[in-house]
Structure formats: structure tokens, C-alpha cells
Amino acid sequence: MTTTLTIIQPDDWHIHLRDGAALATTVPHAATSFNRVICMPNLTPPVKTAAQAISYRERIMQALADSDIDKARKAAFDPRMVLYLTDHTTASDIDDAVATGIISAVKLYPAGATTNSADGVTDILARAEVFDAMQKHGLPLLVHGEITRESIDIFDREKRFLDEVLQKIISTFAELRIVMEHITTADAADFCLAQGNHIAATITPQHLLFNRNHLLVGGVKPHYYCLPILKRAVHQKRLLEVATSGNPKFFLGTDSAPHATSTKEAACGCAGCYTATHALPLYAAAFESVDALDKLENFASVYGAKFYGLPTNTSTITLIKKPQTIAASYPYLETQTLTPLLAGETIAWQVAQ
């Protein structure tokens, strides 16, 4: 018997669309399932100003208009912009961002933490003027939570960030709304639970379904490599517990990140899992694994909107428990290919067409 699950149309509160020719692939993929998407600003060059955010959104919308997805999906798609926080961001930049009506957050990348993060903040606690302005406007800070000093083990970066940086930010800026992006550890989940309702977290499908054994056992598998890196099974288990708990602090953020196959399957492979096309079936598989499909709608479609102070969507989407084989690759950057997570493998769920 076929199982179906109809939920409110979800939003993706953390996605990478990239820019230029990449948008021809990434935008229609995202728009097929999601209404609002929080677009990460770590482009080259980064999105640092309101004017740059407006221009970036225009390029996204042009790629959407040029795509062949249906009119209803085009009409519903709403890319929400994010400013890239640097050592030179000012309170005036925050005022300008809020005035646009399209910028929903500011992103904190510790310098060197992930792809295109070289312009990230070097002294986070020196950004008091900016954080004060964000508090005034209620503009959330999105945090890539890792300490990047070379002396720190890559598997400990998130925990050290909580202790050394995030706790200080929360203590100093008591009203600052913060999203702990793509959390990967039990430490981060429990830290989030211990804070007030102005602190929330996104969780990716790969961190719910996989752990570092999937990345490393039997050989390094580059398409499982993302940052923050997959952790031990005990952390995966804890993330699944909080994601399916019905606690509104936790909501969907795929962190879907496209890289050309040639740059993933390389001597120094890029970090990022591409899931925009099949993220919802992956989440469904994760929630079903602990008999919690009834909790998926709130996680995917309600809690994020409420945190951002936006209405929930009025449209719906239906998932079917019917096997699908993930595409081996997609065209990308005009002459290259993009390999999705679990390329060529069969998963149990799919989105009804």
C-alpha cells in the first residue's frame, strides 16, 4: 500500500544557490519544493551591502523566470537575502538592510570556516555596534559555529565555538536573535535547548541520516564531505531526537551546497552536500526511522516561519513512499556536472509530481 504524506509547503532556512551560470541549475531545483529560501551570501565577492543583496536577488529571479518549472511554483518562490558580516560591517549597513524588506538576516562566518569564508569576521566580539543595531531591528544573526584555529581538532570545532564565542555573544547581547546553523553535535543541540526562545537551530538531512563512518569507512567518500563535518553516531542520534521532538527551536535548513563534480572528486575536494532536489524525501526517511513522520510538517514548514516572524505558507506538497533513484548528475555551469548526495542510489520517498 502506498503511503502519502501531505504537509504545508516548506521553506529552506539555509541554502546555497551560488551565482552566475550556477543559478540555472540551483534555482529551479530549490523552487520545486520550497517557497522561501534563505540564500547564503558567501559568493565571490560576498554579499556585504543592501545594494549587493538586491542585485543578487534580481539575478536569482531572472534565473527563475528563465527556468521551465510551472507558473505556480515560480509565483510562490521567495528568495530571502542575507548580509555577510565582516570586520567592516557597520550599523548603517544593518539599517539599510532592514529598509530593503528582502534581507532577513546577517551571516557570521568565522574567517576560514568554510567555502568562501576568507572575508569572515576575525574578532567577533568587536562587532558590538552591529549586534546592537540587529537587536534594535530584530534582525537574526545566523552563525556558522566553528572555531577555526589550526590547533583545534576538526571534530571539536563546534563544541569549542559554543564555549568560547557563542556563550559570550548571547551573554553580551541578550536580545539578539540567533540561529545556530547546521548544528552537528549533541553539545550544540543541548546548548540550544538551554537558551531562551530567541535562540534556534537548523539541521540538515545529512546530519540526521549519516555520521562520520559514512564519510570514512571503506574509503573517503567526497560527496558526504561537508562543513561542519559529520560527527559520531551518538551526535547523529541526538540531532534526530531534537529534530523530531516537536520543539520549535529546531527547523529545516538543508545547507544544500553545489560544487562541480570535478571539484568534489579531487585531491582537495570541496565541502558541501547537494540535496536541493531530494531534501524532503531525505528528511522523510530520517523522521520515519524513528516513527515521527507526524512531526515533519512543523519542522519543515512551521517553526522556521514563526521564528522569522513570517506567516506559514498556504500551499501544500505531497510526499509518496515510493522508491526513487537519485540522478547520477545534473548539468552545471554550462559545461560541467553536479553530483547530488546519494547519486545513483535508491531512496524510499519522493515528492508527488
Side-chain angles (χ1 to χ4, degrees), residues 35-221:
N35 277 11
R36 289 167 294 225
V37 293
I38 292 283
C39 304
M40 292 298 106
N42 56 332
L43 309 181
T44 306
V47 179
K48 300 178 182 179
T49 68
Q52 290 169 341
I54 292 169
S55 179
Y56 182 34
R57 191 177 192 276
E58 290 172 349
R59 297 193 296 276
I60 292 170
M61 297 306 288
Q62 185 60 57
L64 181 70
D66 293 341
S67 73
D68 60 0
I69 67 170
D70 66 73
K71 291 182 179 179
R73 287 279 80 227
K74 285 182 178 180
F77 191 59
D78 180 14
R80 307 297 301 177
M81 299 294 102
V82 179
L83 287 194
Y84 188 117
L85 182 66
T86 75
D87 288 339
H88 306 290
T89 304
T90 67
S92 293
D93 291 326
I94 302 304
D95 295 339
D96 293 343
V98 172
T100 68
I102 63 164
I103 296 174
S104 290
V106 175
K107 182 64 184 283
L108 167 61
Y109 291 102
T114 188
T115 303
N116 297 340
S117 61
D119 289 334
V121 175
T122 58
D123 186 355
I124 293 168
L125 295 179
R127 312 313 303 139
E129 174 192 12
V130 175
F131 293 155
D132 282 337
M134 292 172 65
Q135 286 188 134
K136 179 182 72 174
H137 290 293
L139 192 67
L141 176 69
L142 313 184
V143 174
H144 181 114
E146 292 190 286
I147 292 286
T148 57
R149 292 194 302 273
E150 290 184 3
S151 60
I152 297 176
D153 189 296
I154 191 171
F155 293 102
D156 297 332
R157 284 180 171 184
E158 186 170 274
K159 175 63 165 64
R160 293 288 293 271
F161 184 88
L162 302 175
D163 297 339
E164 298 181 25
V165 179
L166 189 54
Q167 185 61 68
K168 293 179 181 178
I169 294 176
I170 293 171
S171 298
T172 307
F173 306 97
E175 297 178 10
L176 182 62
R177 299 171 62 77
I178 296 174
V179 179
M180 301 165 59
E181 297 282 54
H182 44 51
I183 61 171
T184 66
T185 60
D187 306 281
D190 293 336
F191 181 95
C192 184
L193 285 169
Q195 310 306 315
N197 291 334
H198 61 302
I199 311 298
T202 58
I203 307 178
T204 76
Q206 63 265 25
H207 289 104
L208 293 176
L209 288 168
F210 308 119
N211 58 65
R212 65 189 190 180
N213 278 355
H214 294 90
L215 170 66
L216 298 171
V217 171
V220 177
K221 303 173 185 67

Side-chain angles (χ1 to χ4, degrees), residues 237-250:
K237 179 176 182 292
R238 183 62 177 140
L239 293 180
L240 195 52
E241 287 173 353
V242 298
T244 61
S245 67
N247 190 309
K249 282 176 160 288
F250 303 98

